[in-house]
Amino acid sequence: MDSSNSNEIVHDFPPFFRIYKNGKVERITADTETVPPSIDPLTGVQTKDTVVSQENSLSVRLFIPKITDPTQKLPLLIYIHGGAFCIESPFSSLYHNYLADLVHNANVIAVSVQYRRAPEHPLPAAYDDSWAAIQWVASHVNGEGSESWLNGHADFDRTFLAGDSAGANIAHNMVVRAGTTNGLNGVKIVGVVLVHPFFCNNEPDTFSPVIEFIFPSVRIYDDPRINPAGAGGAELASLGCARVLIFVAGKDRLRDRGVRYYEALKRSGWGGLVEIVETEGEDHVFHLLNPNCAKARVMMEKVVSFINHGR
């Protein structure tokens, strides 16, 4: 077999991934350091991994704070990581550390979803996997699921979704799906947190080539999953939650899209409460890259307050 040009690059989408002629996929920008499940000696937060679907290699990382009352019920957070649908995972140090910090501060149980990533698994695989993970979580409502932490301690009447960047896009779509189906009986999604959400505009831009490549079955500018504020934002009125918290960053190229989403949601006729918070002078997902800076801590406090509102 002639392998002389097997290292030839046939698709190149910096800073995300490139594909070689031999089929190899190289992820260019990613946190390759993974963190095993553990117990944090300082906070008592425990983590463990479990497989949701062997068929789709769908798994989750669960987080639980230190439990002092064995009968205690805690809010439930389902988190969907970012990374342009193609990089990162719940097991990277960025996301593990962020979720462990949030679980400790908010005193919640968290489920962090490892969906199949593009380009090996084009969209809508990430949407389908995330919905499957949420349905798996819902299977614990009657205390008869496979995970004891969810059976014993999750308050399914206080369920929240959250995500950053592409994960915020997925979280939005999951709340839309929850609002238009009956697939989550017994689970009440109170709110969703969208951090620096990734959405497309009505016209091509610098992000278009990679999204068109990983979502080849649709015209992305017209698809409400990618451009929810387009075409009048009709699906926004169907959000299956009562509250939405949106974060945007002043230097982020996606800033205006988050603002556009916020404005479209307010016009949509949806009956809930939406708030947008802008962090001046910061760029995309700065809170993950510099979690101890003052502005990141303000964001953390805002999310904690959002989850524990009225608790």
Side-chain angles (χ1 to χ4, degrees), residues 33-70:
E33 179 188 357
T34 59
V35 177
S38 60
I39 301 176
D40 188 313
L42 296 179
T43 66
V45 171
Q46 297 184 60
T47 56
K48 64 178 174 179
D49 300 336
T50 190
V51 175
V52 174
S53 169
Q54 292 280 2
E55 179 181 358
N56 292 334
S57 300
L58 174 60
S59 62
V60 296
R61 174 159 288 184
L62 292 95
F63 297 73
I64 192 168
K66 186 176 182 179
I67 298 293
T68 56
D69 179 356

Side-chain angles (χ1 to χ4, degrees), residues 1 22 48 53 87 90 103 118 130 145-147 155 191 208 221 225 271 306:
M1 181 176 64
N22 63 4
K48 64 178 174 179
S53 169
I87 59 175
V103 164
S130 297
S146 58
E147 280 300 329
D155 183 349
S208 299
Y221 318 108
R225 289 169 291 186
F306 181 81

Side-chain angles (χ1 to χ4, degrees), residues 134-208:
I134 294 170
Q135 289 183 307
W136 173 82
V137 168
S139 72
H140 294 77
V141 165
N142 295 323
E144 299 175 353
S146 58
E147 280 300 329
S148 59
W149 290 356
L150 297 177
N151 289 332
H153 297 291
D155 183 349
F156 294 97
D157 285 331
R158 292 185 290 166
T159 300
F160 295 82
L161 267 64
D164 64 279
S165 195
N169 173 297
I170 298 171
H172 154 77
N173 280 285
M174 296 305 97
V175 177
V176 169
R177 193 176 296 195
T180 55
T181 69
N182 295 317
L184 298 179
N185 291 334
V187 174
K188 180 181 179 181
I189 300 177
V190 177
V192 61
V193 181
L194 307 178
V195 180
H196 308 163
F198 176 85
F199 298 123
C200 282
N201 288 323
N202 293 332
E203 300 294 336
D205 56 35
T206 56
F207 298 103
S208 299

Side-chain angles (χ1 to χ4, degrees), residues 198-253:
F198 176 85
F199 298 123
C200 282
N201 288 323
N202 293 332
E203 300 294 336
D205 56 35
T206 56
F207 298 103
S208 299
V210 66
I211 299 302
E212 289 173 337
F213 185 82
I214 66 175
F215 205 174
S217 62
V218 302
R219 188 177 185 274
I220 60 174
Y221 318 108
D222 297 331
D223 193 285
R225 289 169 291 186
I226 294 294
N227 184 13
E235 285 197 352
L236 293 173
S238 301
L239 286 189
C241 66
R243 297 163 55 219
V244 175
L245 175 61
I246 305 165
F247 290 97
V248 296
K251 291 184 176 180
D252 187 359
R253 288 185 294 172

Side-chain angles (χ1 to χ4, degrees), residues 100-124:
D101 190 18
L102 177 55
V103 164
H104 171 63
N105 282 281
N107 201 35
V108 299
I109 295 177
V111 178
S112 188
V113 180
Q114 169 68 327
Y115 53 83
R116 288 172 295 170
R117 301 177 302 180
E120 297 93 334
H121 304 283
L123 292 172

Side-chain angles (χ1 to χ4, degrees), residues 67-80:
I67 298 293
T68 56
D69 179 356
T71 66
Q72 185 178 17
K73 295 289 187 178
L74 301 173
L76 173 62
L77 174 68
I78 301 172
Y79 193 89
I80 306 172

